[in-house]
Amino acid sequence: MRSEKFLSLLELNQLVREVIECEMPDDYWVEAELSECRESKGHCYMELVQYDEGTAVGYTTMPQQSPARSVPIAKASAKCWATKWMLIRPYFERTTGQQLHAGMKVLLKVHAQFHEAYGFSWIVTDIDPTYTLGDMARKRQEIIRQLKKEGVFDLQKELRLPLFCQRIAVISSETAAGYGDFCNQLADNPYGFKFEVRLFPAIMQGDDVEQSIIAALERIYSLEFDCVVIIRGGGATSDMSGFDTLALAENVANFPLPVITGIGHDRDESILDLVSHTRVKTPTAAAAFLIDHLKTVMDILNDSQEQILRLAQQKLTYYKSQFATVAEVLPRLFANVKVRQEARLDNLHSRLILSSGSKLTTLHSQLSTLSDRLPILLDRRLMAEKHRLQLIEEKARSLDPAQLLSRGYSMTMKDGKIVRDPQTLHKGDEIETRLEKGTIKSIVK
């Protein structure tokens, strides 16, 4: 057994506590990043971390998440007791518009505390929201610069809302009061417009906002809608961080349909609002926007209808006046034309009588001449035809097979056809030979 004096664990921890209380009695402002933040029984428990910026691998696209860096170079636990937390939290959230969450950079006022049973911890007595605001603004600007660099920041602004924008895809929480207000506002519009609304449920607060909304957009992509409305009603201003992400902004900016957002409050404008086609404050304002858009289209149509009707009436009046003028002038014109045409017809009639008489005289003379020449021409033609017939008769007589047979020629036939080539005959074929004074039948051997 050792002879020197030893300390119990309690005595050792008491010694550590006394040293810390003596050597570190002051409060310190420290900047750190939250790797974890949770509430329990009114107290806030935080896990602080610091990364070596020199060995950073890069940053994630989501401001509410921790940067994707290498191994942390410092870690510590911190606590804010309920008596302080109930004062710090409202002020921080009211100033920054966000809740404390993992990945957020904070400036904390702390003092050291060591408890014999629970160990060392930093006790938070204040949080500077302006520091966090500056970091949040930096991250927002980084995302905006990235979107502009990619050339997608203003893509939604270039889209045109369809004239008859009535098929609405809504991304919202299924139980949100804002969704009900939106639907009621559309259904009860004073003009009787009909809207087709379909809800695509999504998480509208917390760390899963980004992926949930992106998944809803992917479901909408392959369907037939006129626009997309992203609304959020009843949520706290401090839950707006989920709408300030690069990935969500890129998806909305590149979406082929106009995206209308109604997720913020009077003084809050998220990155999602900046890249959307139209940003309104509330779900009911989004509904009012769609109703007003359709009302504008209806007014244009009504104005166009009235203008067309007015122009048609002007044209009718003009043509009616023209017709009246024509109706007045037409009888006089017709009388003049009638007189001219009657004179022309009389002239044509006189010319026709003269022309007919002259033509008849000429034809009568020609007919007399032809009647005198016709007998002579007929005699000449009959003699020529008689001579031609004699020539044909002589030629036919010379080609008569009987004449050839009378000269000593013969014809050999098989099956009633003249045999011209002996190669066509075969042994045993019966042939017939015709002579001048009879026929001979033979068998080919």
Side-chain angles (χ1 to χ4, degrees):
M1 187 174 180
R2 290 180 175 272
S3 58
E4 62 269 21
K5 183 179 179 181
F6 54 83
L7 299 174
S8 67
L9 178 59
L10 176 61
E11 291 172 335
L12 180 61
N13 285 352
Q14 287 176 340
L15 180 61
V16 171
R17 180 172 61 81
E18 291 173 0
V19 170
I20 290 175
E21 289 177 354
C22 291
E23 297 298 326
M24 302 181 67
D26 301 324
D27 286 339
Y28 305 92
W29 284 101
V30 59
E31 61 177 7
E33 185 174 309
L34 297 176
S35 62
E36 184 181 339
C37 182
R38 59 186 176 84
E39 287 188 41
S40 178
K41 299 180 180 179
H43 310 299
C44 181
Y45 298 89
M46 311 172 198
E47 293 296 327
L48 310 180
V49 66
Q50 179 182 347
Y51 295 92
D52 184 358
E53 298 293 342
T55 60
V57 185
Y59 291 86
T60 62
T61 59
M62 297 177 62
Q64 74 266 27
Q65 294 181 345
S66 301
R69 301 187 178 94
S70 58
V71 178
I73 58 175
K75 287 184 176 182
S77 296
K79 301 180 182 68
C80 185
W81 303 124
T83 53
K84 284 287 186 183
W85 181 240
M86 63 185 300
L87 300 176
I88 293 174
R89 175 182 174 178
Y91 176 66
F92 181 86
E93 293 181 355
R94 189 168 56 252
T95 304
T96 63
Q98 296 201 25
Q99 295 176 331
L100 287 174
H101 56 260
M104 178 180 283
K105 281 193 173 182
V106 291
L107 184 62
L108 308 173
K109 188 176 184 180
V110 299
H111 64 261
Q113 184 182 78
F114 187 87
H115 191 277
E116 291 84 345
Y118 303 108
F120 179 82
S121 182
W122 293 106
I123 305 302
V124 178
T125 58
D126 199 3
I127 304 176
D128 186 357
T130 57
Y131 175 87
T132 303
L133 276 175
D135 186 65
M136 289 165 54
R138 178 185 61 81
K139 290 180 179 179
R140 280 170 57 92
Q141 290 305 314
E142 286 179 359
I143 293 174
I144 292 172
R145 279 196 298 271
Q146 179 65 24
L147 292 170
K148 290 182 177 180
K149 182 179 179 181
E150 294 172 3
V152 301
F153 187 78
D154 293 318
L155 285 183
Q156 276 283 316
K157 303 296 188 298
E158 298 173 5
L159 297 177
R160 295 186 63 182
L161 203 64
L163 290 178
F164 300 97
C165 188
Q166 294 172 284
R167 296 174 299 175
I168 317 299
V170 178
I171 299 177
S172 181
S173 173
E174 195 167 5
T175 58
Y179 172 64
D181 295 339
F182 175 82
C183 292
N184 292 335
Q185 183 91 348
L186 290 182
D188 298 335
N189 71 86
Y191 311 106
F193 298 144
K194 301 298 181 183
F195 292 90
E196 180 184 338
V197 179
R198 179 175 171 183
L199 174 66
F200 292 82
I203 297 171
M204 303 305 287
Q205 59 184 10
D207 295 337
D208 297 325
V209 169
E210 178 191 73
Q211 291 304 320
S212 182
I213 295 180
I214 291 175
L217 289 172
E218 289 175 352
R219 295 197 299 273
I220 295 170
Y221 183 82
S222 59
L223 302 175
E224 294 290 335
F225 287 99
D226 296 322
C227 73
V228 178
V229 176
I230 302 176
I231 52 178
R232 168 183 177 269
T237 306
S238 57
D239 292 330
M240 297 290 291
S241 59
F243 303 98
D244 285 329
T245 74
L246 178 60
L248 179 56
E250 287 175 333
N251 273 270
V252 169
N254 286 287
F255 204 70
L257 297 178
V259 177
I260 301 167
T261 59
I263 59 174
H265 299 273
D266 288 343
R267 65 181 184 85
D268 301 303
E269 189 173 43
S270 66
I271 293 177
L272 181 60
D273 290 321
L274 295 176
V275 300
S276 65
H277 178 277
T278 302
R279 181 254 181 177
V280 295
K281 296 176 182 178
T282 62
T284 53
F289 172 78
L290 293 171
I291 294 169
D292 290 343
H293 171 75
L294 212 54
K295 175 62 167 56
T296 300
V297 174
M298 184 180 72
D299 290 342
I300 293 173
L301 292 176
N302 289 336
D303 291 343
S304 300
Q305 182 180 5
E306 292 177 1
Q307 186 175 3
I308 292 171
L309 183 61
R310 186 168 59 254
L311 290 174
Q313 290 174 342
Q314 291 176 355
K315 286 290 184 183
L316 286 173
T317 302
Y318 170 76
Y319 287 125
K320 186 176 180 181
S321 174
Q322 292 290 315
F323 289 150
T325 303
V326 170
E328 182 181 351
V329 174
L330 190 60
R332 293 198 303 271
L333 293 175
F334 180 76
N336 294 335
V337 170
K338 181 181 178 182
V339 170
R340 287 197 299 268
Q341 292 300 323
E342 286 177 347
R344 182 170 174 270
L345 287 174
D346 291 341
N347 183 36
L348 288 174
H349 183 263
S350 301
R351 290 173 59 188
L352 182 60
I353 293 174
L354 292 174
S355 177
S356 298
S358 176
K359 190 69 173 177
L360 286 172
T361 302
T362 303
L363 290 174
H364 187 269
S365 175
Q366 290 177 351
L367 186 60
S368 298
T369 303
L370 288 174
S371 65
D372 294 338
R373 295 180 59 190
L374 187 60
I376 299 171
L377 293 174
L378 285 175
D379 289 341
R380 289 179 182 177
R381 183 63 181 267
L382 286 173
M383 291 179 64
E385 292 298 322
K386 183 177 180 181
H387 179 67
R388 190 170 70 83
L389 287 173
Q390 290 174 349
L391 293 176
I392 293 172
E393 184 179 0
E394 289 293 332
K395 186 176 181 180
R397 191 179 298 115
S398 66
L399 295 176
D400 188 359
Q403 293 293 327
L404 294 175
L405 293 177
S406 68
R407 296 175 189 171
Y409 292 99
S410 65
M411 290 189 299
T412 301
M413 305 180 70
K414 179 182 179 295
D415 298 331
K417 297 180 180 179
I418 296 175
V419 178
R420 300 180 185 276
D421 186 356
Q423 298 296 327
T424 61
L425 299 177
H426 304 283
K427 184 178 181 179
D429 287 349
E430 181 179 305
I431 58 176
E432 181 181 283
T433 303
R434 290 188 181 183
L435 304 175
E436 180 184 5
K437 297 181 179 181
T439 60
I440 301 171
K441 292 185 179 182
S442 308
I443 301 298
V444 178
K445 294 184 178 182

